[in-house]
Amino acid sequence: MNISEWSGDGWTVSVTAAGMTLTHAPGSVVIASADAARLEVRRRWFRWSLFNDGQPLAGLRGITRTEAAALSRAVRRLALAPMIADALAWHAAVAQVLAEARTEQRWIPAETASRLAAARPGSRLLDGVRAAGCEPSLTTGQLEAAAFLDADLDAVIVHANEQIMASELSSRRSFFDTIEKTPLTDEQARAVVCFDNRVQVLAAAGSGKTSVMVARAAYAVSRGFVAPDRILLLAFNKAAAAELEERVEARFAAAGINSSGLRAATFHSFGLEVIGRATGAKPRLARWLDQGEDVAMVLRIADELRDASESFRYHWDLYRLLFANVPADLAENEPDGYDHATRQAGYRTFAGEVVKSHSERMIANFLYLNGVDYVYERPYDVDVSDSTHSQYRPDFFYPGVDVWHEHWALGRGRQASAGVRGLRREHGLEAPGARPARDAAAEVHVGGGHVRRRPGPARERADAARADDGLEPRSSRQRRAGQAHEARGSRAARPDLHDARQVELVDSRRP
């Protein structure tokens, strides 16, 4: 044990890692490291003294300035000793987990990372060491442990797992190539090596999920992670469960891996078995589920919910009619209609017309389902055609309120596609390289069989200009047109759709 000692006229102070001992005329005083934060060495009335919690503990007669400074650093280091010890222990625990994972080449699960994170002592210890002036007196290991408290533990674990992943993919390539009849892809192999306690693999139909399940089970047994009788493979139907069982038996045997005790079952059969063991009375599945009437029952439940809730009815029908068949990639979605008048292929709407894009079809279908009267690509009221530009035809026109709606089809980055930008330039609406004017945007509310428009800055400026010319603002005309439109009624909304809904329309332009 390292002991630092100072003495003077009638007193002696010794400091170790465990605490400080003061010996003077009144007797000996021992202060543990946990209480050392209350100690302070300072000068008072031309004499150095040792204070405890702000009260004089002993006069340090005969101590020099240099010795007093050294004793003060020792006291401050003593106060930091418990935190340094905690940092050393935590650093060692993390290092042990990393070392064992690399030695065993086994994935570090999220629970282990969470446990280490929860046990982390307070951070910023290294700043406290430097502020106390104790950095020169600490060992390299103590300084590393203090600095590691501020490390990104998640990044450390991810880096270690990636190293384990790369090593396993390389060293066990033969296993991944032969465990199934066809070699596993890199994505499948990574899903096998990522042996966390809870792993969710998202994959499309026919992409090899069953192969991953079989390979993960074989990997777990061959690596000694778990015994085969502790593995349960679950499927949704009997055919899939039977296929899993057959594949496991065949592929384990081909690889020379023991599969005795490994089970494959359906969710229902396993659940019924657990209930039977726990209660002593095994229940039966509902007849509609056991006899293949599950889809019909789901539809029946949905119908009952539609009858019980108008909100559910609206969202269910909106999803079923509008969003259920939206393609994942609109760029690859093939047109399904043909307009004989224009001799162009396009996308057929619920109203029977053909529009130019799938996103326009979604808007048109939404308007149709909500009973909003509209005209597709009606020529603009103002003739803007010239020798290089054809007449402007905005995507939608709402005759009841005299509102034009141009759909700019912004992408995920909120930028118009090259085709849309070219269309804007073709109609003289945007100079090459210019940014579109955002103040021309308007918000349109759809519901109740009519459209209400809140003017934006561009609409307000246009109305002001008309007023200067002695003309009636368009907003007044819109209100009257909207009232007339309500009196006439609009295209009937489907009876299964309720509630007003708000739609943000990208642009609206008026002369």
Side-chain angles (χ1 to χ4, degrees):
M1 177 183 296
N2 293 328
I3 300 177
S4 300
E5 191 172 282
W6 293 262
S7 61
D9 189 4
W11 62 270
T12 300
V13 174
S14 59
V15 179
T16 67
M20 186 201 79
T21 301
L22 168 66
T23 304
H24 61 156
S28 296
V29 178
V30 178
I31 297 179
S33 59
D35 300 322
R38 300 199 301 263
L39 294 174
E40 183 182 7
V41 177
R42 70 172 186 256
R43 190 165 184 169
R44 183 180 182 187
W45 298 107
F46 309 104
R47 186 175 68 181
W48 292 95
S49 297
L50 181 63
F51 289 79
N52 183 24
D53 206 11
Q55 300 299 319
L57 185 62
L60 305 177
R61 187 185 300 273
I63 194 171
T64 66
R65 180 186 295 273
T66 301
E67 291 173 334
L71 175 58
S72 181
R73 285 194 299 273
V75 168
R76 292 195 298 268
R77 184 176 66 246
L78 180 62
L80 293 171
M83 292 178 281
I84 294 174
D86 290 342
L88 284 169
W90 187 72
H91 187 215
V94 174
Q96 181 179 0
V97 168
L98 296 175
E100 290 177 353
R102 291 190 174 102
T103 300
E104 299 175 5
Q105 287 297 288
R106 180 168 182 172
W107 188 270
I108 303 172
E111 284 80 3
T112 300
S114 298
R115 174 175 55 81
L116 291 173
R120 186 203 302 254
S123 59
R124 315 301 295 179
L125 174 58
L126 190 59
D127 290 345
V129 168
R130 290 168 177 165
C134 303
E135 191 173 7
S137 63
L138 298 184
T139 66
T140 301
Q142 289 173 328
L143 291 174
E144 288 179 354
F148 191 71
L149 292 181
D150 299 317
D152 185 345
L153 181 62
D154 289 339
V156 172
I157 299 295
V158 167
H159 179 67
N161 279 337
E162 285 300 323
Q163 289 181 323
I164 293 168
M165 174 71 73
S167 176
E168 287 292 277
L169 292 178
S170 175
S171 63
R172 303 184 188 278
R173 189 69 259 176
S174 176
F175 170 84
F176 298 128
D177 288 344
T178 59
I179 189 59
E180 280 282 85
K181 291 183 179 180
T182 58
L184 300 185
T185 66
D186 285 343
E187 281 186 315
Q188 290 175 317
R190 290 180 70 89
V192 171
V193 175
C194 178
F195 218 83
D196 216 315
N197 293 337
R198 290 185 296 275
V199 177
Q200 182 181 34
V201 178
L202 302 178
S207 60
K209 295 186 294 295
T210 302
S211 294
V212 171
M213 292 181 68
V214 173
R216 278 177 65 84
Y219 180 77
V221 174
S222 65
R223 293 296 317 279
F225 294 163
V226 64
D229 60 359
R230 303 292 295 174
I231 297 178
L232 171 65
L233 304 179
L234 294 175
F236 281 104
N237 55 61
K238 294 179 181 178
E243 180 186 0
L244 271 173
E245 197 166 28
E246 293 173 1
R247 292 263 289 270
V248 164
E249 184 177 351
R251 301 317 305 166
F252 275 52
I257 301 173
N258 178 26
S259 65
S260 57
L262 192 155
R263 292 185 56 198
T266 64
F267 283 92
H268 298 115
S269 63
F270 175 69
L272 293 174
E273 179 182 335
V274 171
I275 295 172
R277 288 183 181 180
T279 64
K282 182 178 178 180
R284 296 181 61 88
L285 291 175
R287 293 182 59 187
W288 59 267
L289 182 63
D290 201 27
Q291 297 178 5
E293 300 174 2
D294 47 351
V295 174
M297 177 56 70
V298 169
L299 294 176
R300 174 183 167 185
I301 293 171
D303 283 340
E304 291 177 355
L305 290 173
R306 291 170 70 246
D307 292 338
S309 169
E310 289 189 356
S311 176
F312 180 86
R313 175 189 290 264
Y314 176 85
H315 289 97
W316 172 264
D317 287 345
L318 190 65
Y319 170 79
R320 177 174 60 87
L321 297 172
L322 194 61
F323 298 116
N325 297 317
V326 175
D329 188 348
L330 296 180
E332 299 179 359
N333 188 43
E334 294 294 333
D336 56 5
Y338 183 78
D339 189 336
H340 292 280
T342 62
R343 297 182 179 180
Q344 291 182 347
Y347 301 81
R348 191 166 300 281
T349 70
F350 290 157
E353 61 198 349
V354 176
V355 297
K356 293 179 180 178
S357 69
H358 183 82
S359 56
E360 289 181 352
R361 172 165 63 183
M362 290 186 67
I363 294 173
N365 287 346
F366 181 91
L367 296 171
Y368 175 82
L369 293 173
N370 283 277
V372 179
D373 195 15
Y374 71 90
V375 179
Y376 179 68
E377 287 199 338
R378 166 179 158 171
Y380 197 42
D381 283 353
V382 178
D383 186 4
V384 295
S385 63
D386 55 26
S387 59
T388 58
H389 301 98
S390 59
Q391 174 59 6
Y392 182 39
R393 292 174 176 265
D395 293 321
F396 299 94
F397 173 69
Y398 306 106
V401 288
D402 192 21
V403 171
W404 302 87
H405 166 200
E406 180 67 78
H407 173 58
W408 294 126
L410 300 180
R412 291 185 178 180
R414 300 186 63 82
Q415 297 295 323
S417 65
V420 170
R421 292 194 297 270
L423 180 65
R424 290 172 64 95
R425 289 193 293 270
E426 176 187 344
H427 292 294
L429 298 176
E430 178 182 324
R435 296 184 61 183
R438 297 185 63 83
D439 66 355
E443 193 174 58
V444 176
H445 299 258
V446 178
H450 64 281
V451 178
R452 303 185 303 276
R453 179 176 185 276
R454 283 209 306 265
R459 172 70 268 133
E460 294 173 354
R461 288 198 298 270
D463 283 347
R466 293 181 63 83
D468 290 342
D469 294 335
L471 301 175
E472 182 181 16
R474 287 283 183 131
S475 56
S476 300
R477 295 173 56 197
Q478 288 173 4
R479 284 193 294 270
R480 287 203 299 275
Q483 293 167 359
H485 177 60
E486 287 179 316
R488 291 195 306 273
S490 60
R491 187 176 313 192
R494 296 183 64 92
D496 287 343
L497 290 166
H498 304 279
D499 299 344
R501 285 298 180 266
Q502 178 174 306
V503 181
E504 185 174 306
L505 305 181
V506 177
D507 207 350
S508 178
R509 295 187 174 273
R510 307 285 297 274

